Amino acid sequence: MIIKSGLDDEQFPESLTCHSILELPLYSTKEIMRERLTKALESKGGFRA
């Protein structure tokens, strides 16, 4: 597991589709995680490349 420092609540999830990996930051609440995942899935540029 990789632990990133900083404001994880502001980060979007990252995906590595060639390896079927979804990396989620350590969000402070489930609600923030749900909001970030939903926004990433709804927008064309939500996931970081």
Side-chain angles (χ1 to χ4, degrees):
M1 174 171 65
I2 298 172
I3 298 175
K4 299 178 183 178
S5 62
L7 298 174
D8 287 333
D9 287 347
E10 300 298 321
Q11 302 298 317
F12 280 97
E14 295 182 49
S15 67
L16 303 170
T17 55
C18 57
H19 298 290
S20 300
I21 295 173
L22 177 62
E23 295 181 4
L24 294 174
L26 295 173
Y27 297 113
S28 60
T29 66
K30 287 182 183 180
E31 291 77 17
I32 293 172
M33 180 180 67
R34 182 175 314 196
E35 177 185 317
R36 290 293 176 193
L37 279 169
T38 302
K39 190 171 183 178
L41 290 170
E42 289 177 346
S43 66
K44 294 180 181 178
F47 285 95
R48 293 189 342 197

